[in-house]
Amino acid sequence: MAVYYIDPTYTGSPQNGAFSSPYSDWSTPTISDSNSYLGKEGTTWTSGTSGISLQASNVILGTYDSVTGEQVYDVARRHKMDFSSCTDAQCIGISSTASPLSETGNLIINLHIVGSNTTDGISISDGVDNTTIKYCRLVGTGSSATSQNDGILHNGGFPIIFNNNEILKFNAGIRSTTDAANNSVSTDYSTIANNNIYNLDGTTASD
């Protein structure tokens, strides 16, 4: 497994994804199977109008320690990805173009994701299995439920693990199109635990 680093504050050359010469833009690397893509903790990357498309398996999107380069697993330390100007349907879209659908085993961890008022934070397509999302903070910028999409939109695939995430100001914190109710994902194929989800009025919502 190769590890690629992204530091939006880096202005040097070359920029090849190494710890000493990271990419400065998440749109530069091509996300491919069995690799890790890590943003520098404490930095903010601002996207253009496009989100990130993840069409691969066994990929990690996360955060790295600014001194050691090691992946961070501390919920309090995150790399921020600002998609507030994004016009795509999702900030991070996990989908498959394979036939049969086969993307599996992806992990999104320790990211602070800011979405526009029309984007889903993380969208998982039907047929994408074994996705884990944990220690993330997802924030929507919409001011009303009618203009805000979902924090995590689950369109199918199993099993799915949503643990220890903080989701703010989205119409639904975690929504599954296979289970009609907002904030509900079937326990038949999912594990949901210790997520803090907040309604638009600041009150706490259930998973």
Side-chain angles (χ1 to χ4, degrees):
M1 174 182 283
V3 180
Y4 296 96
Y5 299 91
I6 297 96
D7 176 3
T9 66
Y10 184 69
T11 58
S13 181
Q15 295 187 8
N16 54 21
F19 177 55
S20 59
S21 50
Y23 296 121
S24 60
D25 195 312
W26 275 87
S27 64
T28 301
T30 299
I31 296 177
S32 55
D33 290 353
S34 302
N35 291 331
S36 294
Y37 301 85
L38 307 177
K40 184 178 179 180
E41 65 169 328
T43 63
T44 299
W45 172 73
T46 302
S47 77
T49 58
S50 299
I52 291 177
S53 177
L54 200 172
Q55 295 181 334
S57 294
N58 302 309
V59 167
I60 296 173
L61 302 184
T63 298
Y64 71 91
D65 185 287
S66 60
V67 176
T68 66
E70 295 179 353
Q71 184 176 346
V72 171
Y73 295 95
D74 184 340
V75 68
R77 300 164 64 190
R78 297 187 179 101
H79 166 67
K80 184 176 180 180
M81 305 171 79
D82 186 349
F83 293 91
S84 58
S85 298
C86 178
T87 56
D88 280 357
Q90 59 275 319
C91 300
I92 298 177
I94 308 174
S95 61
S96 176
T97 57
S99 181
L101 298 174
S102 61
E103 266 63 6
T104 185
N106 292 304
L107 169 64
I108 300 178
I109 184 170
N110 279 95
L111 291 177
H112 177 183
I113 300 169
V114 178
S116 73
N117 64 356
T118 57
T119 59
D120 296 315
I122 299 171
S123 176
I124 305 168
S125 293
D126 189 15
V128 176
D129 294 343
N130 297 300
T131 300
T132 298
I133 301 170
K134 62 191 303 186
Y135 304 138
C136 289
R137 186 173 194 263
L138 291 85
V139 181
T141 57
S143 58
S144 68
T146 57
S147 65
Q148 189 61 55
N149 282 19
D150 306 311
I152 298 172
L153 175 62
H154 176 235
N155 291 300
F158 60 91
I160 308 294
I161 299 174
F162 304 131
N163 283 354
N164 298 284
N165 299 292
E166 183 180 19
I167 304 174
L168 295 86
K169 288 190 175 181
F170 280 93
N171 185 27
I174 300 171
R175 184 170 72 88
S176 174
T177 57
T178 57
D179 293 304
N182 283 352
N183 303 321
S184 174
V185 179
S186 171
T187 55
D188 291 343
Y189 48 75
S190 302
T191 300
I192 303 177
N194 301 318
N195 296 290
N196 294 315
I197 301 174
Y198 299 95
N199 297 313
L200 292 170
D201 62 4
T203 57
T204 301
S206 64
D207 284 354

